[in-house]
Amino acid sequence: MLRVLTTDLMKIRRKLIWFLVFLGPFGVIALQAANFGIRYDYLTNLYADNLWEGLIHDVQSLAIPTLLLGLSIITSMLANIEHQTNAWKQLLALPITKRSVFISKLALAVFLLFLSSSLLGIGTILLGLALKFGTDIPFLYLLKMMYYPYLAVFPFIAFQIWIAISLKNQAIPLTVGIISTVLSMNSTQLNDWLPWKWPSLQNGWGDPIYSVIAGLLLGLVIFMMGLLDFVRKDVK
């Protein structure tokens, strides 16, 4: 398993994927920097009770659609490495299991998105310090903003890597990802049981942990379905 994962890391060493991992959080922070730069007086008055939480909330509102769109592109690019060179048969002819190949692709996507989420948190701290919000940073609230949506999107990570590997035409997985992103931007109008609402961490119980748990559980189910499908079918 470690050998397969190491090989996948080497394959993306000089790929555009790394640029996207950094571009997502950088873009979100840059937009919020412009937002606060243009409306500094208004926003600081609006969030006067807690400037840091106001900043974190605004960053999160942009981060969620960026995360969903980003995971769709990253999973598609990971699968397309083999699709472009018609290398699936050669890869699966090696003395490695199909299970290891699928898990490695998923694990790499999870790692890259974890890195991107972590960079977003670091960028948020730097932006708050640059805006002179002080050093009383609500780290627990910040950690929730960084990782709760990331955990809640696990069903989308598992599903996108499944269809990206299964389909040579990557326009389909990317279209699905764009639709998911659009739905997430209107998630307040959706039922609590629909996964597109979970990354927003809003639910009828008033506790974001329920959205996280739901995301992890459904993500595990979709992962198992995708793994079984990949192991059983012939990949061309």
Side-chain angles (χ1 to χ4, degrees), residues 14-25:
R14 296 177 182 174
K15 298 291 184 180
L16 193 62
I17 293 176
W18 289 108
F19 174 71
L20 293 175
V21 168
F22 287 87
L23 179 64

Side-chain angles (χ1 to χ4, degrees), residues 50 52 129 133-139:
N50 197 319
W52 275 104
L129 294 174
F133 286 176
T135 56
D136 189 18
I137 304 170
F139 283 104

Side-chain angles (χ1 to χ4, degrees), residues 102 157-167 222 225-226 229:
F102 186 88
I157 301 174
F159 184 69
Q160 289 289 153
I161 199 71
W162 179 10
I163 60 175
I165 289 175
S166 300
L167 301 171
I222 295 176
M225 291 171 61
D229 178 66

Side-chain angles (χ1 to χ4, degrees), residues 38 52 95 116 129 169 175 179 183 191:
I38 295 170
W52 275 104
S116 191
L129 294 174
N169 183 0
T175 300
I179 293 172
L183 287 172
N191 189 283

Side-chain angles (χ1 to χ4, degrees), residues 205-221:
W205 298 280
D207 191 339
I209 195 62
Y210 289 108
S211 299
V212 173
I213 293 171
L216 290 172
L217 291 176
L218 182 58
L220 179 60
V221 171

Side-chain angles (χ1 to χ4, degrees), residues 220-235:
L220 179 60
V221 171
I222 295 176
F223 159 69
M224 293 303 299
M225 291 171 61
L227 179 61
L228 290 172
D229 178 66
F230 183 74
V231 169
R232 290 176 179 177
K233 72 186 296 186
D234 291 330
V235 179

Side-chain angles (χ1 to χ4, degrees), residues 18-26 28-29 59 111-127 142 145-147:
W18 289 108
F19 174 71
L20 293 175
V21 168
F22 287 87
L23 179 64
F26 176 80
V28 171
I29 297 301
V59 168
F111 166 72
L112 293 172
L113 291 165
F114 174 82
L115 178 59
S116 191
S117 298
S118 300
L119 290 172
L120 180 65
I122 294 170
T124 302
I125 293 174
L126 295 176
L127 177 58
L142 177 64
M145 182 277 292
M146 290 166 57
Y147 298 121

